[in-house]
mmCIF file of all heavy atoms in Angstrom:
data_model
loop_
_atom_site.group_PDB
_atom_site.id
_atom_site.type_symbol
_atom_site.label_atom_id
_atom_site.label_comp_id
_atom_site.label_asym_id
_atom_site.label_seq_id
_atom_site.Cartn_x
_atom_site.Cartn_y
_atom_site.Cartn_z
ATOM 1 N N ALA A 1 13.892 3.777 -9.268
ATOM 2 C CA ALA A 1 14.693 3.725 -8.036
ATOM 3 C C ALA A 1 14.320 2.494 -7.191
ATOM 4 O O ALA A 1 15.189 1.793 -6.679
ATOM 5 C CB ALA A 1 14.545 5.016 -7.248
ATOM 6 N N LEU A 2 13.031 2.285 -6.990
ATOM 7 C CA LEU A 2 12.564 1.111 -6.250
ATOM 8 C C LEU A 2 13.071 -0.169 -6.844
ATOM 9 O O LEU A 2 13.474 -1.130 -6.149
ATOM 10 C CB LEU A 2 11.031 1.061 -6.222
ATOM 11 C CG LEU A 2 10.310 2.178 -5.494
ATOM 12 C CD1 LEU A 2 8.783 2.142 -5.699
ATOM 13 C CD2 LEU A 2 10.623 2.133 -3.964
ATOM 14 N N ARG A 3 13.136 -0.262 -8.182
ATOM 15 C CA ARG A 3 13.537 -1.467 -8.885
ATOM 16 C C ARG A 3 15.059 -1.663 -8.856
ATOM 17 O O ARG A 3 15.556 -2.716 -9.224
ATOM 18 C CB ARG A 3 13.048 -1.462 -10.294
ATOM 19 C CG ARG A 3 11.539 -1.566 -10.395
ATOM 20 C CD ARG A 3 10.970 -1.122 -11.760
ATOM 21 N NE ARG A 3 11.267 -2.076 -12.797
ATOM 22 C CZ ARG A 3 10.458 -3.075 -13.212
ATOM 23 N NH1 ARG A 3 9.290 -3.185 -12.615
ATOM 24 N NH2 ARG A 3 10.785 -3.848 -14.203
ATOM 25 N N SER A 4 15.780 -0.628 -8.393
ATOM 26 C CA SER A 4 17.231 -0.696 -8.306
ATOM 27 C C SER A 4 17.666 -1.432 -7.020
ATOM 28 O O SER A 4 18.834 -1.828 -6.905
ATOM 29 C CB SER A 4 17.883 0.651 -8.324
ATOM 30 O OG SER A 4 17.659 1.358 -7.060
ATOM 31 N N ILE A 5 16.743 -1.652 -6.062
ATOM 32 C CA ILE A 5 17.124 -2.323 -4.836
ATOM 33 C C ILE A 5 17.226 -3.825 -5.103
ATOM 34 O O ILE A 5 16.337 -4.434 -5.750
ATOM 35 C CB ILE A 5 16.011 -2.021 -3.739
ATOM 36 C CG1 ILE A 5 15.930 -0.545 -3.472
ATOM 37 C CG2 ILE A 5 16.321 -2.846 -2.496
ATOM 38 C CD1 ILE A 5 17.258 0.063 -2.964
ATOM 39 N N PRO A 6 18.286 -4.489 -4.668
ATOM 40 C CA PRO A 6 18.507 -5.904 -4.925
ATOM 41 C C PRO A 6 17.277 -6.746 -4.538
ATOM 42 O O PRO A 6 16.733 -6.608 -3.421
ATOM 43 C CB PRO A 6 19.718 -6.255 -4.084
ATOM 44 C CG PRO A 6 20.457 -4.941 -3.979
ATOM 45 C CD PRO A 6 19.452 -3.907 -3.935
ATOM 46 N N GLY A 7 16.851 -7.574 -5.483
ATOM 47 C CA GLY A 7 15.716 -8.479 -5.214
ATOM 48 C C GLY A 7 14.376 -7.799 -5.507
ATOM 49 O O GLY A 7 13.322 -8.483 -5.446
ATOM 50 N N CYS A 8 14.376 -6.523 -5.896
ATOM 51 C CA CYS A 8 13.117 -5.794 -6.119
ATOM 52 C C CYS A 8 13.000 -5.338 -7.573
ATOM 53 O O CYS A 8 12.280 -4.383 -7.900
ATOM 54 C CB CYS A 8 13.007 -4.611 -5.205
ATOM 55 S SG CYS A 8 13.066 -5.056 -3.432
ATOM 56 N N GLN A 9 13.738 -6.005 -8.482
ATOM 57 C CA GLN A 9 13.801 -5.548 -9.856
ATOM 58 C C GLN A 9 12.481 -5.628 -10.598
ATOM 59 O O GLN A 9 12.320 -5.028 -11.685
ATOM 60 C CB GLN A 9 14.861 -6.312 -10.612
ATOM 61 C CG GLN A 9 14.627 -7.818 -10.733
ATOM 62 C CD GLN A 9 15.148 -8.619 -9.519
ATOM 63 O OE1 GLN A 9 15.576 -8.004 -8.536
ATOM 64 N NE2 GLN A 9 15.122 -9.904 -9.613
ATOM 65 N N ASP A 10 11.490 -6.385 -10.061
ATOM 66 C CA ASP A 10 10.241 -6.467 -10.678
ATOM 67 C C ASP A 10 9.120 -5.667 -9.992
ATOM 68 O O ASP A 10 7.924 -5.721 -10.362
ATOM 69 C CB ASP A 10 9.772 -7.967 -10.739
ATOM 70 C CG ASP A 10 10.668 -8.802 -11.596
ATOM 71 O OD1 ASP A 10 11.186 -8.303 -12.629
ATOM 72 O OD2 ASP A 10 10.875 -9.987 -11.281
ATOM 73 N N VAL A 11 9.469 -4.873 -9.035
ATOM 74 C CA VAL A 11 8.552 -4.067 -8.291
ATOM 75 C C VAL A 11 7.908 -2.990 -9.192
ATOM 76 O O VAL A 11 8.610 -2.393 -10.021
ATOM 77 C CB VAL A 11 9.152 -3.382 -7.055
ATOM 78 C CG1 VAL A 11 8.286 -2.217 -6.512
ATOM 79 C CG2 VAL A 11 9.359 -4.422 -5.979
ATOM 80 N N THR A 12 6.618 -2.801 -9.073
ATOM 81 C CA THR A 12 6.014 -1.652 -9.767
ATOM 82 C C THR A 12 5.231 -0.869 -8.675
ATOM 83 O O THR A 12 4.867 -1.387 -7.627
ATOM 84 C CB THR A 12 4.980 -2.101 -10.807
ATOM 85 O OG1 THR A 12 4.013 -3.037 -10.211
ATOM 86 C CG2 THR A 12 5.690 -2.734 -11.987
ATOM 87 N N LEU A 13 5.104 0.403 -8.921
ATOM 88 C CA LEU A 13 4.456 1.302 -7.994
ATOM 89 C C LEU A 13 2.948 1.051 -8.021
ATOM 90 O O LEU A 13 2.317 1.229 -9.077
ATOM 91 C CB LEU A 13 4.761 2.781 -8.332
ATOM 92 C CG LEU A 13 4.330 3.846 -7.331
ATOM 93 C CD1 LEU A 13 5.038 3.665 -6.058
ATOM 94 C CD2 LEU A 13 4.564 5.228 -7.951
ATOM 95 N N PRO A 14 2.296 0.712 -6.902
ATOM 96 C CA PRO A 14 0.840 0.569 -6.944
ATOM 97 C C PRO A 14 0.104 1.896 -6.823
ATOM 98 O O PRO A 14 0.674 2.876 -6.375
ATOM 99 C CB PRO A 14 0.603 -0.340 -5.664
ATOM 100 C CG PRO A 14 1.683 0.065 -4.742
ATOM 101 C CD PRO A 14 2.921 0.372 -5.605
ATOM 102 N N PHE A 15 -1.149 1.888 -7.205
ATOM 103 C CA PHE A 15 -1.945 3.082 -7.025
ATOM 104 C C PHE A 15 -2.937 2.863 -5.950
ATOM 105 O O PHE A 15 -3.546 1.801 -5.784
ATOM 106 C CB PHE A 15 -2.686 3.472 -8.334
ATOM 107 C CG PHE A 15 -3.605 2.465 -8.913
ATOM 108 C CD1 PHE A 15 -4.987 2.533 -8.718
ATOM 109 C CD2 PHE A 15 -3.160 1.386 -9.708
ATOM 110 C CE1 PHE A 15 -5.883 1.619 -9.277
ATOM 111 C CE2 PHE A 15 -4.034 0.509 -10.280
ATOM 112 C CZ PHE A 15 -5.416 0.598 -10.049
ATOM 113 N N TRP A 16 -3.045 3.906 -5.057
ATOM 114 C CA TRP A 16 -4.060 3.902 -4.068
ATOM 115 C C TRP A 16 -5.391 4.198 -4.725
ATOM 116 O O TRP A 16 -5.638 5.313 -5.215
ATOM 117 C CB TRP A 16 -3.719 4.969 -3.008
ATOM 118 C CG TRP A 16 -4.840 5.343 -2.091
ATOM 119 C CD1 TRP A 16 -5.949 4.633 -1.756
ATOM 120 C CD2 TRP A 16 -5.017 6.626 -1.409
ATOM 121 N NE1 TRP A 16 -6.775 5.336 -0.873
ATOM 122 C CE2 TRP A 16 -6.215 6.547 -0.688
ATOM 123 C CE3 TRP A 16 -4.247 7.786 -1.354
ATOM 124 C CZ2 TRP A 16 -6.686 7.606 0.047
ATOM 125 C CZ3 TRP A 16 -4.680 8.849 -0.590
ATOM 126 C CH2 TRP A 16 -5.890 8.770 0.137
ATOM 127 N N ASP A 17 -6.253 3.165 -4.847
ATOM 128 C CA ASP A 17 -7.506 3.344 -5.558
ATOM 129 C C ASP A 17 -8.491 4.080 -4.654
ATOM 130 O O ASP A 17 -9.235 3.467 -3.887
ATOM 131 C CB ASP A 17 -8.048 1.955 -5.961
ATOM 132 C CG ASP A 17 -9.169 2.065 -7.001
ATOM 133 O OD1 ASP A 17 -9.741 3.148 -7.118
ATOM 134 O OD2 ASP A 17 -9.417 1.090 -7.708
ATOM 135 N N GLU A 18 -8.515 5.378 -4.800
ATOM 136 C CA GLU A 18 -9.194 6.243 -3.850
ATOM 137 C C GLU A 18 -10.730 6.118 -3.847
ATOM 138 O O GLU A 18 -11.398 6.514 -2.893
ATOM 139 C CB GLU A 18 -8.806 7.705 -4.110
ATOM 140 C CG GLU A 18 -7.292 7.920 -3.845
ATOM 141 C CD GLU A 18 -6.766 9.190 -4.384
ATOM 142 O OE1 GLU A 18 -7.516 9.989 -4.938
ATOM 143 O OE2 GLU A 18 -5.496 9.390 -4.219
ATOM 144 N N LEU A 19 -11.258 5.498 -4.888
ATOM 145 C CA LEU A 19 -12.714 5.345 -5.020
ATOM 146 C C LEU A 19 -13.176 3.893 -4.775
ATOM 147 O O LEU A 19 -14.342 3.574 -4.869
ATOM 148 C CB LEU A 19 -13.211 5.811 -6.378
ATOM 149 C CG LEU A 19 -12.833 7.231 -6.832
ATOM 150 C CD1 LEU A 19 -13.447 7.558 -8.187
ATOM 151 C CD2 LEU A 19 -13.232 8.258 -5.777
ATOM 152 N N ALA A 20 -12.230 3.023 -4.446
ATOM 153 C CA ALA A 20 -12.565 1.626 -4.345
ATOM 154 C C ALA A 20 -13.508 1.275 -3.195
ATOM 155 O O ALA A 20 -14.298 0.290 -3.309
ATOM 156 C CB ALA A 20 -11.254 0.789 -4.193
ATOM 157 N N ASN A 21 -13.445 2.001 -2.083
ATOM 158 C CA ASN A 21 -14.260 1.669 -0.921
ATOM 159 C C ASN A 21 -15.282 2.734 -0.579
ATOM 160 O O ASN A 21 -15.533 2.990 0.555
ATOM 161 C CB ASN A 21 -13.341 1.412 0.302
ATOM 162 C CG ASN A 21 -12.523 0.130 0.106
ATOM 163 O OD1 ASN A 21 -13.082 -0.923 -0.230
ATOM 164 N ND2 ASN A 21 -11.232 0.202 0.336
ATOM 165 N N MET A 22 -15.804 3.362 -1.580
ATOM 166 C CA MET A 22 -16.811 4.431 -1.408
ATOM 167 C C MET A 22 -17.994 3.886 -0.639
ATOM 168 O O MET A 22 -18.536 2.841 -0.959
ATOM 169 C CB MET A 22 -17.314 4.957 -2.748
ATOM 170 C CG MET A 22 -16.277 5.776 -3.481
ATOM 171 S SD MET A 22 -16.088 7.437 -2.751
ATOM 172 C CE MET A 22 -17.726 8.073 -3.031
ATOM 173 N N GLY A 23 -18.441 4.572 0.410
ATOM 174 C CA GLY A 23 -19.596 4.202 1.137
ATOM 175 C C GLY A 23 -19.443 3.147 2.223
ATOM 176 O O GLY A 23 -20.391 2.876 2.963
ATOM 177 N N VAL A 24 -18.240 2.574 2.318
ATOM 178 C CA VAL A 24 -18.032 1.526 3.332
ATOM 179 C C VAL A 24 -17.998 2.151 4.685
ATOM 180 O O VAL A 24 -17.384 3.210 4.932
ATOM 181 C CB VAL A 24 -16.703 0.784 3.075
ATOM 182 C CG1 VAL A 24 -16.344 -0.158 4.203
ATOM 183 C CG2 VAL A 24 -16.777 0.029 1.758
ATOM 184 N N LYS A 25 -18.674 1.538 5.671
ATOM 185 C CA LYS A 25 -18.685 2.058 7.018
ATOM 186 C C LYS A 25 -18.205 0.975 8.041
ATOM 187 O O LYS A 25 -18.658 -0.205 7.893
ATOM 188 C CB LYS A 25 -20.113 2.494 7.400
ATOM 189 C CG LYS A 25 -20.670 3.580 6.493
ATOM 190 C CD LYS A 25 -19.812 4.850 6.528
ATOM 191 C CE LYS A 25 -20.407 5.945 5.610
ATOM 192 N NZ LYS A 25 -19.516 7.095 5.506
ATOM 193 N N PRO A 26 -17.354 1.271 8.974
ATOM 194 C CA PRO A 26 -16.732 2.595 9.142
ATOM 195 C C PRO A 26 -15.827 2.917 7.966
ATOM 196 O O PRO A 26 -15.355 2.000 7.283
ATOM 197 C CB PRO A 26 -15.915 2.486 10.429
ATOM 198 C CG PRO A 26 -15.639 0.990 10.550
ATOM 199 C CD PRO A 26 -16.871 0.289 9.944
ATOM 200 N N ALA A 27 -15.630 4.191 7.736
ATOM 201 C CA ALA A 27 -14.909 4.631 6.548
ATOM 202 C C ALA A 27 -13.442 4.049 6.514
ATOM 203 O O ALA A 27 -12.762 4.103 7.504
ATOM 204 C CB ALA A 27 -14.814 6.187 6.512
ATOM 205 N N ARG A 28 -13.091 3.532 5.362
ATOM 206 C CA ARG A 28 -11.745 3.051 5.198
ATOM 207 C C ARG A 28 -11.234 3.195 3.738
ATOM 208 O O ARG A 28 -10.903 2.221 3.082
ATOM 209 C CB ARG A 28 -11.591 1.537 5.626
ATOM 210 C CG ARG A 28 -12.636 0.612 5.019
ATOM 211 C CD ARG A 28 -12.484 -0.779 5.531
ATOM 212 N NE ARG A 28 -13.406 -1.745 4.964
ATOM 213 C CZ ARG A 28 -13.210 -2.423 3.819
ATOM 214 N NH1 ARG A 28 -12.097 -2.198 3.126
ATOM 215 N NH2 ARG A 28 -14.136 -3.233 3.369
ATOM 216 N N PRO A 29 -11.232 4.402 3.254
ATOM 217 C CA PRO A 29 -10.753 4.597 1.873
ATOM 218 C C PRO A 29 -9.251 4.457 1.752
ATOM 219 O O PRO A 29 -8.759 4.202 0.617
ATOM 220 C CB PRO A 29 -11.144 6.105 1.589
ATOM 221 C CG PRO A 29 -11.176 6.697 2.929
ATOM 222 C CD PRO A 29 -11.711 5.652 3.827
ATOM 223 N N ILE A 30 -8.518 4.456 2.868
ATOM 224 C CA ILE A 30 -7.032 4.331 2.811
ATOM 225 C C ILE A 30 -6.670 2.876 3.197
ATOM 226 O O ILE A 30 -7.014 2.424 4.277
ATOM 227 C CB ILE A 30 -6.345 5.321 3.747
ATOM 228 C CG1 ILE A 30 -6.852 6.722 3.481
ATOM 229 C CG2 ILE A 30 -4.849 5.241 3.619
ATOM 230 C CD1 ILE A 30 -6.323 7.739 4.489
ATOM 231 N N PRO A 31 -5.952 2.158 2.402
ATOM 232 C CA PRO A 31 -5.500 0.810 2.727
ATOM 233 C C PRO A 31 -4.711 0.836 4.053
ATOM 234 O O PRO A 31 -3.855 1.735 4.277
ATOM 235 C CB PRO A 31 -4.616 0.379 1.578
ATOM 236 C CG PRO A 31 -5.122 1.172 0.419
ATOM 237 C CD PRO A 31 -5.579 2.505 0.949
ATOM 238 N N SER A 32 -4.901 -0.147 4.894
ATOM 239 C CA SER A 32 -4.363 -0.097 6.252
ATOM 240 C C SER A 32 -2.822 -0.139 6.238
ATOM 241 O O SER A 32 -2.191 0.348 7.202
ATOM 242 C CB SER A 32 -4.852 -1.254 7.113
ATOM 243 O OG SER A 32 -4.506 -2.524 6.500
ATOM 244 N N VAL A 33 -2.186 -0.597 5.176
ATOM 245 C CA VAL A 33 -0.761 -0.652 5.112
ATOM 246 C C VAL A 33 -0.188 0.768 5.096
ATOM 247 O O VAL A 33 0.977 1.013 5.422
ATOM 248 C CB VAL A 33 -0.271 -1.467 3.914
ATOM 249 C CG1 VAL A 33 -0.513 -0.762 2.595
ATOM 250 C CG2 VAL A 33 1.244 -1.780 4.056
ATOM 251 N N LEU A 34 -0.989 1.768 4.717
ATOM 252 C CA LEU A 34 -0.531 3.148 4.692
ATOM 253 C C LEU A 34 -0.694 3.828 6.025
ATOM 254 O O LEU A 34 -0.084 4.906 6.246
ATOM 255 C CB LEU A 34 -1.251 3.950 3.617
ATOM 256 C CG LEU A 34 -1.001 3.565 2.138
ATOM 257 C CD1 LEU A 34 -1.943 4.326 1.200
ATOM 258 C CD2 LEU A 34 0.467 3.846 1.821
ATOM 259 N N THR A 35 -1.473 3.274 6.923
ATOM 260 C CA THR A 35 -1.778 3.941 8.188
ATOM 261 C C THR A 35 -1.248 3.200 9.411
ATOM 262 O O THR A 35 -1.449 3.697 10.543
ATOM 263 C CB THR A 35 -3.283 4.163 8.376
ATOM 264 O OG1 THR A 35 -3.958 2.901 8.327
ATOM 265 C CG2 THR A 35 -3.878 5.062 7.232
ATOM 266 N N SER A 36 -0.603 2.095 9.179
ATOM 267 C CA SER A 36 -0.006 1.342 10.336
ATOM 268 C C SER A 36 1.460 1.615 10.395
ATOM 269 O O SER A 36 2.189 1.519 9.399
ATOM 270 C CB SER A 36 -0.233 -0.161 10.072
ATOM 271 O OG SER A 36 0.474 -0.855 11.085
ATOM 272 N N PRO A 37 1.947 2.009 11.565
ATOM 273 C CA PRO A 37 3.417 2.274 11.686
ATOM 274 C C PRO A 37 4.264 1.028 11.722
ATOM 275 O O PRO A 37 5.505 1.121 11.611
ATOM 276 C CB PRO A 37 3.506 2.983 13.030
ATOM 277 C CG PRO A 37 2.354 2.489 13.853
ATOM 278 C CD PRO A 37 1.252 2.293 12.844
ATOM 279 N N ARG A 38 3.637 -0.163 11.695
ATOM 280 C CA ARG A 38 4.402 -1.429 11.781
ATOM 281 C C ARG A 38 4.167 -2.296 10.549
ATOM 282 O O ARG A 38 3.041 -2.410 10.080
ATOM 283 C CB ARG A 38 3.977 -2.221 13.039
ATOM 284 C CG ARG A 38 4.093 -1.449 14.344
ATOM 285 C CD ARG A 38 5.548 -1.398 14.860
ATOM 286 N NE ARG A 38 5.643 -0.788 16.109
ATOM 287 C CZ ARG A 38 5.904 0.529 16.316
ATOM 288 N NH1 ARG A 38 6.077 1.318 15.256
ATOM 289 N NH2 ARG A 38 5.982 1.046 17.531
ATOM 290 N N PHE A 39 5.225 -2.937 10.115
ATOM 291 C CA PHE A 39 5.122 -3.967 9.081
ATOM 292 C C PHE A 39 6.236 -4.964 9.371
ATOM 293 O O PHE A 39 7.428 -4.692 9.247
ATOM 294 C CB PHE A 39 5.279 -3.408 7.691
ATOM 295 C CG PHE A 39 4.819 -4.397 6.625
ATOM 296 C CD1 PHE A 39 3.577 -4.281 6.056
ATOM 297 C CD2 PHE A 39 5.688 -5.422 6.209
ATOM 298 C CE1 PHE A 39 3.194 -5.208 5.077
ATOM 299 C CE2 PHE A 39 5.347 -6.308 5.186
ATOM 300 C CZ PHE A 39 4.046 -6.235 4.667
ATOM 301 N N ASP A 40 5.827 -6.182 9.803
ATOM 302 C CA ASP A 40 6.791 -7.213 10.165
ATOM 303 C C ASP A 40 7.336 -7.888 8.928
ATOM 304 O O ASP A 40 6.602 -8.587 8.185
ATOM 305 C CB ASP A 40 6.117 -8.221 11.094
ATOM 306 C CG ASP A 40 5.738 -7.655 12.434
ATOM 307 O OD1 ASP A 40 6.556 -6.849 12.986
ATOM 308 O OD2 ASP A 40 4.654 -7.911 12.924
ATOM 309 N N LEU A 41 8.643 -7.741 8.693
ATOM 310 C CA LEU A 41 9.257 -8.349 7.515
ATOM 311 C C LEU A 41 10.772 -8.369 7.728
ATOM 312 O O LEU A 41 11.363 -7.353 8.115
ATOM 313 C CB LEU A 41 8.868 -7.560 6.284
ATOM 314 C CG LEU A 41 9.479 -8.042 4.979
ATOM 315 C CD1 LEU A 41 8.914 -9.419 4.582
ATOM 316 C CD2 LEU A 41 9.235 -7.065 3.821
ATOM 317 N N ASP A 42 11.403 -9.481 7.447
ATOM 318 C CA ASP A 42 12.832 -9.611 7.470
ATOM 319 C C ASP A 42 13.466 -9.220 8.823
ATOM 320 O O ASP A 42 14.499 -8.604 8.909
ATOM 321 C CB ASP A 42 13.505 -8.763 6.368
ATOM 322 C CG ASP A 42 13.027 -9.120 4.963
ATOM 323 O OD1 ASP A 42 12.645 -10.341 4.767
ATOM 324 O OD2 ASP A 42 13.087 -8.275 4.076
ATOM 325 N N GLY A 43 12.720 -9.528 9.909
ATOM 326 C CA GLY A 43 13.213 -9.262 11.252
ATOM 327 C C GLY A 43 13.092 -7.832 11.670
ATOM 328 O O GLY A 43 13.659 -7.439 12.687
#
């Protein structure tokens, strides 16, 4: 479905690598793009 959107035919679903930031302080196991209500793009 994501690839059906015009211009997005090569999109693939990424995986949230839940173990990538183990032990980092302050804790940030979740990429910030998932927790920010804003993303500036295309106006």
Side-chain angles (χ1 to χ4, degrees):
L2 294 172
R3 293 163 73 93
S4 74
I5 300 301
C8 300
Q9 62 274 8
D10 294 326
V11 163
T12 54
L13 187 65
F15 60 99
W16 163 26
D17 195 339
E18 295 166 2
L19 306 183
N21 291 311
M22 289 285 298
V24 173
K25 301 299 179 186
R28 52 181 180 88
I30 308 174
S32 61
V33 71
L34 292 174
T35 59
S36 172
R38 305 282 185 266
F39 193 97
D40 294 318
L41 179 67
D42 300 335

